[in-house]
Amino acid sequence: MQNDRRDFLKASVAAGLFPALVGAQAKDKKYRTALIGTGWWGMNILREAMAAGESKVVALCDVDENMLNPAAAEVQKLSGDQPKLYRDYRAMLAKEKPDICIVGTPDHWHALCMIEAVKVGAHVYVEKPISHTIREGRAMVNAARAAHRIVQVGTHRRISPHNVSGREFIRSGKLGKIGMVRCFVLYGGGPEKPEPNTEAPKGLDWDMWCGPAPLRAFNKKIHTRGFRNFLEYANGTLGDWGIHWLDQILWITGEKYPKRIFSTGGRPIAGPIINTPAAQTTNAPDHQVAVYEFDQFTVNWEHRRFGGNNAEKTHPQQAVGCYFYGTGGTFHMGWLDGWTFYPANAKDPVIHEDAKLNMPDNQNIKQLWADFLDAIKTGRKPVSDIEDAYYSTNVALLGMLSLKLGRSLQWDGAKELIVGDPEANKHLSRKYRGAWQYPKA
């Protein structure tokens, strides 16, 4: 596998995939770095960028001053940098033209911010899932390639030590032939109560926060960290958690896309969707099952936000991950609990490897950032390249589309179209609000 990777990287550079990058950064020079989206996860990324010692933070951008101002104070405290502050990413990118741009916004902003950043010459670290719709993702890949910029996606499990060793274990053949994979995120929850709408907090430009997506009344269920369960701005648990585990499947097996998809689910526990001038609930499913047919195996996705799931925990705190079912046994790729191989022969020993994660939030951003910097310096493909993440994001988005339409979909991955279903293909993109223009691939 290492030889294959080296050959690919050599071929990529030779073919001009990432030209003029090698040696572009002097050893003693710091990358002029900007962050769009200064909330929880955006700052997790920026802290690792500052800790790596190769960034000068020149600008921060957020439509919410309640996020922006504390972030600026923290940057100055940690690094001594005094970044310029912006409310509009377009103005920031046009004026600052950073070497590196981090996109830590809600999902519905990823495409526009990333595309504009590479156009001004920045390498980009963008959070997952890369896009809200499939054709946004294709436009992002094409923009990155046209600009010859490195774009790393925050699927940090591709570089987590136990995920890397687990992948090597499976690809060595010790699991045998894989026939099925089950990936799941099972947490507790219960009925949902509507939250009253309020005026947006002072310092928040709510119209700009919604941007190209539909405009809802402000509600604290959405902002700051609840947006993932509002389908105007994200794609529920499958779009949030699912991208990590579906990405693991593609990364481990080498597949790019499923042939057929079917999904079902609903809100029997969360209750009816409410969106009135007075109050709102979320509108994502409280449980969902999606089945993906690949050439050589079947994938089953499952999430629940009720039931407690104490009977199914793979770790004292959670039940998440992937079970790979092979002729040699069952392999669980987990998160906090590392990975475990259960051989088919009960006389053989169970094999386990612990996770090695960074705080806060048990992640491996540090390692993914180091890979990003190395890719910029060498011109090689990063471990979580935008095109790889595009395929993984598509799997999640196709599951959501099947749920929305209530029928199975046949996906032509080469043509990036749903076969024989013109109505479904209309949902591969969506109309942007107001003057915002949907990106062209």
Side-chain angles (χ1 to χ4, degrees), residues 136-195:
E136 283 179 332
R138 170 47 65 191
M140 294 168 78
V141 175
N142 291 356
R145 297 297 187 247
H148 304 298
R149 298 293 89 183
I150 299 293
V151 179
Q152 180 86 289
V153 179
T155 44
H156 54 87
R157 285 172 176 82
R158 282 190 173 225
I159 207 162
S160 297
H162 79 271
N163 296 81
V164 172
S165 67
R167 178 178 187 254
E168 291 171 353
F169 183 95
I170 293 174
R171 290 169 74 95
S172 73
K174 295 173 184 175
L175 183 58
K177 181 176 173 58
I178 297 170
M180 178 180 172
V181 186
R182 175 187 174 228
C183 45
F184 56 96
V185 176
L186 310 174
Y187 283 121
E192 183 181 357
K193 295 180 180 180
E195 181 72 29

Side-chain angles (χ1 to χ4, degrees), residues 30 35 42-53 55-57 60 70-83 360:
K30 291 188 175 183
L35 169 64
M43 285 303 292
N44 267 352
I45 302 165
L46 187 61
R47 289 186 197 103
E48 294 295 357
M50 290 187 288
S55 285
K56 177 180 174 59
V57 184
L60 302 174
E74 183 177 351
V75 168
Q76 186 171 358
K77 180 180 178 181
L78 292 176
S79 68
D81 295 336
Q82 294 183 305

Side-chain angles (χ1 to χ4, degrees), residues 40 106 192 206 209 219-236 240 281-284 305:
W40 164 53
E192 183 181 357
W206 183 242
W209 188 98
N219 193 289
K220 67 180 184 180
K221 271 185 176 286
I222 305 173
H223 182 67
T224 58
R225 287 169 57 175
F227 68 89
R228 295 195 182 281
N229 283 306
F230 287 82
L231 300 183
E232 294 88 348
Y233 314 117
N235 277 282
D240 176 22
T281 64
T282 64
N283 59 5
R305 299 205 313 269

Side-chain angles (χ1 to χ4, degrees), residues 21-32:
L21 298 179
V22 180
Q25 187 75 15
K27 291 182 179 179
D28 59 347
K29 182 183 176 184
K30 291 188 175 183
Y31 295 95
R32 300 177 67 259

